[in-house]
């Protein structure tokens, strides 16, 4: 789990968001079968979970139940990066279909599908570039460095 706005490298929380994005990138580079959930602000009472991609919605709230449901569903449907909000409408009855309507991330890509390219790898701090190199060297089957 990460948070919305990680691709927005400006404002009062720019440094925090850049570090959250770096964590996402290292996970994706590892090739681990995972889905990254970026929830909005907790506290919505709306009944429908809404999945989006591209980190385009700056504000929005989410029901805590939707966060739990999306995290569990993400284990069963790896390969996505999604923003999660709550809104009016019918609750999600089939999370597989909800994820299936989205675009999967490119395997081992730095950023999620449709994320803006606003943080070039070459500008990353050396420890982050080193962590990315190590993550890319992991064997997908057992997560040990490949030989």
């Amino acid at each position: 789990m990460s948070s919305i706005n990680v691709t927005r490298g400006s404002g009062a929380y720019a440094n925090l968001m850049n570090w959250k994005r770096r964590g996402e990138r290292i996970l994706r580079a590892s090739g681990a079968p995972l889905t990254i959930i970026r929830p909005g602000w907790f506290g919505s009472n709306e009944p429908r979970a809404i999945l989006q991609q591209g980190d385009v919605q700056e504000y929005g709230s989410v029901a805590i139940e939707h966060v739990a449901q999306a995290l569990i569903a993400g284990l069963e449907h790896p390969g996505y990066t999604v923003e999660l909000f709550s809104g009016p409408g019918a609750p999600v009855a089939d999370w597989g279909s909800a994820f299936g309507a989205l675009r999967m991330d490119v395997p081992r890509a730095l950023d999620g599908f449709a994320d803006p390219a606003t943080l070039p790898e070459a500008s990353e701090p050396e420890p982050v570039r080193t962590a990315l190199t190590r993550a890319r060297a992991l064997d997908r089957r057992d997560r040990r460095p490949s030989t």
Side-chain angles (χ1 to χ4, degrees):
M1 186 169 76
S2 185
S3 67
I4 59 171
N5 298 322
V6 297
T7 64
R8 301 175 194 279
S10 62
Y13 297 103
N15 193 43
L16 172 67
M17 293 301 155
N18 284 340
W19 281 102
K20 287 184 176 207
R21 187 174 186 182
R22 289 173 177 130
E24 288 185 8
R25 288 175 149 192
I26 292 165
L27 287 171
R28 275 192 217 91
S30 75
L34 55 86
T35 284
I36 294 172
I37 306 293
R38 297 171 174 165
W41 306 166
F42 290 7
S44 176
N45 293 317
E46 295 287 353
R48 180 172 182 77
I50 300 167
L51 300 175
Q52 299 177 350
Q53 292 180 291
D55 204 16
V56 296
Q57 186 170 332
E58 191 171 349
Y59 300 102
S61 62
V62 64
I64 295 170
E65 310 82 64
H66 295 155
V67 176
Q69 291 167 346
L71 288 169
I72 292 167
L75 294 171
E76 297 171 351
H77 305 285
Y80 299 90
T81 299
V82 300
E83 291 80 47
L84 177 65
F85 301 97
S86 298
V92 172
D94 180 359
W95 282 90
S97 293
F99 278 103
L102 303 170
R103 298 285 304 269
M104 293 184 85
D105 294 341
V106 174
R108 293 190 179 235
L110 283 182
D111 294 312
F113 176 79
D115 281 351
T118 55
L119 192 63
E121 183 175 357
S123 70
E124 292 285 24
E126 181 58 36
V128 174
R129 290 195 310 267
T130 299
L132 286 167
T133 298
R134 288 182 179 155
R136 288 177 177 132
L138 293 175
D139 182 279
R140 290 177 184 226
R141 288 169 284 141
D142 60 13
R143 301 285 166 255
R144 290 181 295 187
S146 56
T147 54

